[in-house]
Amino acid sequence: GKKVLTAELQAGEFTEALKLAEEQVQAGAAVLDVNVGAPMVKEEALLPALVKQLTARFLTPLCLDSTKAEALEEALWVVPGSALVNSISGEPGRMDELGPLCKLHGAPFILLPLAGKKLPVTAAERIAAIEALLVRAEALGIPRRLILVDALALTVSSKPEAAKHCLETIRHCAAVWGLPTTLGLSNISFGLPARELLNAPFLTMCLGAGMAAHISNPSTALPREAGLASEVLLARDPQAGRFIASLADWKYGGGSGGAARSVKERSVTSMREAVVAGRKEALLEMVEQALARGESPLGMLNEQMIPGIMDVGVLYEKKEYFLPQLLLSAETMQAGFERLKPLLEEETKGRERPKIVLATVEGDIHDIGKNIVGLMLENHGFQVVDLGKDVSAARIVDAAAETGAGLIGLSALMTTTMVRMEDTVKLLKERGMSQKVIVGGAVVTDAYARAIGADGHACDAVEAVRLAKRLMDA
Ligand code: B12
C-alpha cells in the first residue's frame, strides 16, 4: 500500500494511513511511528493533521518521525501529553534546534548517533558520536531521561560485524550512561533471504544486551514471538502474562491468533471466579463482605473456593491455563483459606484428643487439600501433627513414633508421587508399627488404597473425618 499511501498523503487524505495504524494497533504495537514524508507533501501541515486523527482514535502513544523541524514542532503542539520524537541526530544544528523544543514539551526523543552527516560504522565511532551529542544536550539543559539512543542497525549482508557493533553500543549505553536504547530491527537483514530468521534472534540478542525498545512491524510473527519470549526470559513480563495472552494457542510454524485473554482482564463477580482469575484482593474483599452478611465460612470454602480451584484444574488440562496462572490461583485460594481458618477452628482445647500425623508425600508440593483435611480433623477433635509437604516416608514414620499418633494421613496429587504412599505403609510394617494409614488426593482411589495396604481412602475432607473417627473408634 505504499503507492496508495503516498498518493493519498499528496492529496491530504488519511484513509490508508488510518487503516495501517489500526492494523498495527491490532497486532500489538506499543507505539505508532507517524511519518508523512513523501515528495510534494507539506509535512508541517500534514503531520499535525494526521496526529489529530490518530489521537482521536487510538490510545497508543505516538512517535513523530520527520526530518523537518517545523513539522515536528507543529505536531508536538497538537499531541495530548507528549510524543516520542524521531529523531535528533548529529547533523549540524539539529540538537540546537530540536533539543530545546523537546525540553519544552517534555517529549522524549531518539538520539541518532550520526557524526555530522556521516553514519558511524564501528561501536567505538558510535559511542564517540553519542558522547558528543550528550555533551551538547547537557549544555542545553536537556534532561537525560528524555533520551533514547538509536543503536543503528546496518545490514550484515554488507557489514558482517554490524550486529556485533549494535550489541556493543547497547551494552555501553546501559552500563556507562544508564541510557535506554532502540533500533530499527529489520535493517540488520536487508539484502538477505529469510529475513525474519535473522531479525528474530537479533532481537533476542539485543534485548539480552539491555535494549529497551525496537522499531519493527508487529505483524511479522517470528520477531514478535521472539520478542515476547525474550521478555519472559528476562523477567520483564510478570507471570508471563503478555506471552500467554498472545501465544497460548501458538502452533509450530502457524503463529497465533493472539486471541487468549489475559487473566487480569477477566471481571470477577464471585469468590469462585476470583480464585479462577487469581485475584487475591478481590477474593479477600468478597470474603469480608460475605462474612459481614453472616455467611458460613465453611460454605464459602466448599461451595466457592474449592470449586474455583477445581475449575482451574480443568482450564489447565485444556491448556487454557499454564503454570503461572495455576500458581496465582493457588496463592489466591490459600489467602482466602488463611482468612477463614481462624473462623473454622472450633474450641477443642482441654479434651483428650486422638493424634494424627498428616503430610503430603515426598516429591509433591500440593498441600491445599491436605490443609483443609487437617483443619476439618482439628475441628472434629483430632490433634493434627502437620508435617507439611514433600515429606519422606522416614520422616513420617519417625514422627508417628515420636508423637505416639495412632493414625497417619497421606496426601498425594500426582500419579508420579502417589506411589510414595506405599513406602510409608511398608516402612511401618518393617518397623513393626501398628499405626493406621489413610490416604487421599485427587488421583487416589479406594482400589489403590487397598492395593498398597492402606486402611482407608476418602474423597473429601468430610469423608476424611468420618473415616478417621471410624478407624480410631475401632
Ligand atoms: C493448585 C494446583 C497446583 C498448585 C499447588 C499449590 C498448593 N499449595 O497446593 C501449584 C501451582 C504449585 C501446582 C504445581 C504443580 N502441579 Co498442580 N495442580 C493444582 C490443581 C489445579 C488443584 C489442586 C487442588 O488444590 N485441588 C483442591 C483440593 C481441595 O483438592 P484435593 O487436593 O484433591 O484435596 C481434597 C481431596 O482429594 C481430599 N484429600 C486430599 N488430601 C488428602 C489426604 C487424606 C489423608 C485424605 C483422607 C483425603 C485427602 O480432601 C481434600 C479436600 O476436599 C490440580 C488439578 C486437579 N484436578 O486436582 C493440579 C494438578 C494436581 N497438578 C499437576 C501437575 C502436573 C503439577 C506440576 C508438576 C506442574 C509443573 N509442570 O510444574 C507442579 C507439581 C510440583 C510438585 N512437585 O508437586 C497435575 C497432576 C497430574 C497427575 N495426574 O499426575 C494436576 C492434576 C493438573 C493436571 N491436570 O495436569 N499445582
Side-chain angles (χ1 to χ4, degrees):
K2 202 148 190 191
K3 263 192 197 147
V4 183
L5 182 68
T6 308
E8 269 199 13
L9 289 175
Q10 284 163 342
E13 283 170 29
F14 298 128
T15 312
E16 183 68 14
L18 293 172
K19 198 180 109 208
L20 281 173
E22 174 79 43
E23 281 168 16
Q24 308 239 316
V25 169
Q26 289 299 332
V31 177
L32 284 174
D33 191 86
V34 195
N35 185 331
V36 294
M40 296 174 298
V41 150
K42 270 193 129 197
E43 285 193 46
E44 58 276 28
L46 220 52
L47 191 63
L50 179 55
V51 163
K52 272 191 199 158
Q53 300 260 351
L54 289 168
T55 52
R57 284 174 175 75
F58 309 106
L59 290 172
T60 313
L62 301 182
C63 176
L64 308 174
D65 188 355
S66 175
T67 50
K68 304 238 163 62
E70 315 82 70
L72 292 170
E73 173 155 23
E74 292 304 324
L76 275 172
W77 284 113
V78 301
V79 182
S82 56
L84 179 64
V85 169
N86 189 7
S87 55
I88 299 183
S89 69
E91 282 177 69
R94 186 89 171 163
M95 178 64 84
D96 296 282
E97 188 172 25
L98 284 177
L101 190 65
C102 289
K103 186 182 164 193
L104 174 71
H105 287 274
F109 59 88
I110 297 176
L111 185 146
L112 196 66
L114 301 188
K117 285 205 165 188
K118 228 182 104 220
L119 208 62
V121 174
T122 67
E125 287 166 4
R126 285 170 193 189
I127 289 163
I130 296 165
E131 190 145 35
L133 280 164
L134 287 180
V135 169
R136 189 67 208 127
E138 186 116 24
L140 291 166
I142 297 162
R144 276 271 167 95
R145 66 181 160 76
L146 294 183
I147 301 174
L148 177 66
V149 176
D150 190 327
L152 283 182
L154 303 176
T155 174
V156 285
S157 61
S158 67
K159 304 253 183 294
E161 306 263 302
K164 287 165 84 176
H165 291 306
C166 284
L167 294 170
E168 205 177 318
T169 308
I170 291 168
R171 281 194 208 100
H172 189 95
C173 284
V176 179
W177 297 306
L179 279 176
T181 39
T182 182
L183 49 69
L185 187 68
S186 64
N187 294 351
I188 203 73
S189 60
F190 187 79
L192 288 168
R195 292 181 62 184
E196 285 187 39
L197 289 184
L198 293 158
N199 298 348
F202 180 54
L203 175 59
T204 297
M205 290 177 192
C206 291
L207 291 171
M211 186 170 75
H214 64 280
I215 304 164
S216 72
N217 182 350
S219 316
T220 48
L222 213 49
R224 191 175 77 89
E225 291 160 2
L228 286 162
S230 304
E231 301 269 295
V232 175
L233 299 174
L234 293 166
R236 279 159 49 162
D237 181 4
Q239 273 114 19
R242 287 193 297 276
F243 183 83
I244 292 170
S246 324
L247 296 173
D249 58 351
W250 183 89
K251 293 213 175 40
Y252 188 80
S256 161
R261 271 203 298 164
S262 108
V263 187
K264 292 227 168 60
E265 284 167 29
R266 286 173 196 262
S267 66
V268 295
T269 54
S270 68
M271 290 180 215
R272 183 173 177 161
E273 285 174 6
V275 170
V276 174
R279 299 266 299 272
K280 198 192 292 181
E281 281 71 30
L283 175 70
L284 292 174
E285 208 178 300
M286 284 182 213
V287 168
E288 293 309 330
Q289 285 164 2
L291 288 173
R293 286 194 301 270
E295 284 180 28
S296 131
L298 193 61
M300 291 180 217
L301 186 65
N302 283 335
E303 283 147 39
Q304 293 285 335
M305 291 185 211
I306 295 183
I309 198 78
M310 298 316 277
D311 292 346
V312 170
V314 173
L315 288 167
Y316 184 71
E317 254 158 52
K318 289 202 284 188
K319 298 212 169 2
E320 283 181 35
Y321 262 25
F322 297 86
L323 204 53
Q325 291 139 331
L326 209 65
L327 265 171
L328 209 60
S329 291
E331 278 168 27
T332 304
M333 159 106 195
Q334 204 83 310
F337 179 60
E338 288 301 324
R339 173 66 185 92
L340 295 180
K341 211 169 149 186
L343 306 171
L344 294 164
E345 280 164 1
E346 282 167 8
E347 197 52 58
T348 44
K349 279 188 203 114
R351 267 191 275 153
E352 181 55 34
R353 298 187 292 154
K355 266 191 202 151
I356 175 168
V357 166
L358 199 60
T360 298
V361 298
E362 188 165 9
D364 201 321
I365 60 163
H366 295 89
D367 64 357
I368 295 177
K370 185 241 338 147
N371 293 344
I372 295 172
V373 169
L375 184 71
M376 290 292 283
L377 284 167
E378 292 225 347
N379 287 350
H380 286 81
F382 284 82
Q383 190 180 337
V384 177
V385 181
D386 189 342
L387 302 179
K389 55 197 174 190
D390 188 12
V391 188
S392 69
R395 254 192 76 205
I396 297 168
V397 173
D398 285 348
E402 283 159 21
T403 58
L407 197 59
I408 295 175
L410 302 176
S411 185
L413 266 277
M414 299 192 288
T415 41
T416 46
T417 55
M418 63 193 267
V419 291
R420 299 272 77 85
M421 291 174 154
E422 194 177 1
D423 301 350
T424 306
V425 177
K426 277 189 181 155
L427 196 58
L428 278 172
K429 282 214 180 91
E430 268 172 44
R431 296 200 187 166
M433 290 164 67
S434 60
Q435 271 86 353
K436 301 234 162 69
V437 178
I438 62 172
V439 293
V443 285
V444 183
T445 60
D446 281 333
Y448 183 74
R450 274 195 302 277
I452 63 167
D455 299 278
H457 158 255
C459 287
D460 60 40
V462 175
E463 218 188 291
V465 170
R466 224 177 280 142
L467 174 65
K469 279 189 169 168
R470 184 160 53 78
L471 288 171
M472 292 315 283
D473 290 343

